[in-house]
């Protein structure tokens, strides 16, 4: 049986690439998202994978560019549907949000086929995602500095929470943020349609980061093995989970210097960062409100009053 996504179409045991049309640019040129279909020689589950939902988050694309050449459809059971670049317009100009409608794509799901540019792209990719048994939506922490982690965004009371956590554990970045996400995220919309979904946040980089890409690639192969797409055993390792997320802004303008490293445990009252003026004079010292893990921080040292500086994962346990 043929497997088709956009113009990509493959019979059993073959792989094809093509484009998924989602509208036109301002000069009337067709917008086609790059897609791949891998139709395994044997029957099995369907996996949907996408990357670059946010236009400056490229580590997921780095994973895709290394994953697809290593997939042999003759050795695969089931189908793999891949959209390599979701946020076409933002990717072209290296921006986070779709510049056509100034929208963050991962707030537009499940989309609207007759809506804005982002809603139409979300609707087209969501149609592909709904064909799957599992969804992996590859992200990163924008261009800030962040640990490699996987997000479960359906919320702890969701009927698929356990299945999403299992998928996160299999992907195995070592850290999981288990917190209900905002409306419009694929990792919320797909579980609402009965599909276990994870949102790996592969570090944070300007461009892409080799270590994070390798972690994401290893995670994809663990998923493929565990769920029976390819042969092999998977040892699921304990994951450190945060169920809360404290974010800190700067109380004054100046230059930030951090007192802790990414992934480091912090206790309530520990100093997270200091703010000085251009001559090193201390202006502010910010401490942790709760125990947790130093999860994410801004990359550039200069800050204005109230500007985002860092985040701490809280309510930490292991599973």
């Amino acid at each position: 049986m043929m497997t088709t996504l956009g113009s990509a179409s493959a019979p059993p045991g073959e792989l094809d690439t093509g484009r998924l049309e989602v509208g036109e640019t301002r000069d009337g040129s067709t917008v086609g998202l790059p897609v791949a279909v891998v139709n395994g020689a044997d029957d099995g589950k369907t996996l949907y994978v996408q990357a670059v939902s946010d236009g400056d988050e490229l580590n997921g694309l780095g994973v895709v560019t290394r994953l697809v050449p290593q997939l042999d459809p003759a050795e695969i059971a089931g189908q793999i549907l891949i959209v390599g670049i979701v946020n076409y317009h933002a990717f072209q100009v290296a921006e986070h949000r779709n510049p056509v409608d100034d929208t963050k794509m991962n707030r537009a799901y499940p989309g609207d086929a007759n809506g804005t540019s982002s809603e139409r792209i979300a609707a087209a990719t969501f149609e592909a995602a709904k064909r799957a048994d599992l969804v992996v939506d590859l992200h990163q922490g924008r261009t800030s500095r962040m640990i490699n982690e996987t997000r479960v965004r359906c919320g702890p009371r969701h009927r698929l929470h356990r299945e999403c956590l299992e998928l996160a554990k299999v992907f195995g970045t070592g850290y999981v943020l288990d917190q209900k996400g905002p409306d419009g995220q694929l990792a919320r919309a797909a579980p609402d349609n009965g599909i276990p979904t994870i949102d790996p946040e592969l570090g944070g980089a300007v461009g892409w980061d080799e270590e994070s890409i390798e972690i994401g690639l290893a995670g994809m192969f663990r998923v493929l093995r565990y769920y029976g797409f390819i042969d092999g055993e998977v040892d699921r390792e304990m994951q450190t989970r945060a169920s809360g997320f404290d974010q800190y802004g700067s109380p004054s303008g100046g230059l930030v210097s951090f007192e802790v490293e990414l992934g480091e445990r912090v206790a309530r009252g520990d100093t997270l960062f200091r703010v000085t003026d251009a001559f090193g004079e201390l202006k502010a010292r910010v401490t942790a409100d709760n125990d947790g893990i130093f999860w994410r921080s801004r990359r550039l040292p200069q800050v204005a009053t109230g500007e985002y500086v860092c985040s701490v994962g809280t309510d930490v346990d292991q599973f």
Side-chain angles (χ1 to χ4, degrees), residues 10-17 35-41 45-50 62-83 138 216-225 228-231:
E14 294 190 17
L15 179 155
D16 193 26
T17 61
V35 298
V37 294
V38 183
N39 193 354
K45 298 179 184 294
T46 298
L47 171 67
Y48 174 76
V49 181
Q50 70 173 34
V63 172
V64 169
T65 62
R66 300 185 190 192
L67 173 67
V68 173
Q70 297 185 55
L71 298 177
D72 181 358
E75 302 296 327
I76 288 175
Q79 294 81 40
I80 306 170
L81 310 175
I82 304 171
V83 179
L138 296 167
L217 184 62
M220 288 305 311
F221 275 109
R222 277 193 292 271
V223 169
L224 292 174
R225 292 188 183 99
F229 293 92
I230 59 176
D231 291 338

Side-chain angles (χ1 to χ4, degrees), residues 1 59 68 70 72 101 116 119 124 156 222 255 268 277 319:
M1 182 175 178
N59 282 337
V68 173
Q70 297 185 55
D72 181 358
D101 53 17
T116 65
E119 289 171 340
R222 277 193 292 271
L255 302 170
R268 181 180 180 182
D277 66 14
F319 74 99

Side-chain angles (χ1 to χ4, degrees), residues 49-109:
V49 181
Q50 70 173 34
V52 198
S53 174
D54 300 306
D56 58 355
E57 298 187 4
L58 304 183
N59 282 337
L61 178 58
V63 172
V64 169
T65 62
R66 300 185 190 192
L67 173 67
V68 173
Q70 297 185 55
L71 298 177
D72 181 358
E75 302 296 327
I76 288 175
Q79 294 81 40
I80 306 170
L81 310 175
I82 304 171
V83 179
I85 300 169
V86 173
N87 199 335
Y88 175 94
H89 299 286
F91 176 80
Q92 298 297 332
V93 294
E95 294 180 0
H96 190 71
R97 301 164 71 91
N98 182 349
V100 174
D101 53 17
D102 191 31
T103 296
K104 182 175 171 64
M105 183 70 67
N106 203 29
R107 299 294 184 272
Y109 285 94

Side-chain angles (χ1 to χ4, degrees), residues 231-250:
D231 291 338
E233 298 296 320
V234 175
D235 292 327
R236 293 181 299 162
E237 298 181 354
M238 295 292 290
Q239 303 293 295
T240 298
R241 172 172 57 176
S243 299
F245 209 48
D246 290 343
Q247 298 194 71
Y248 297 85
S250 180

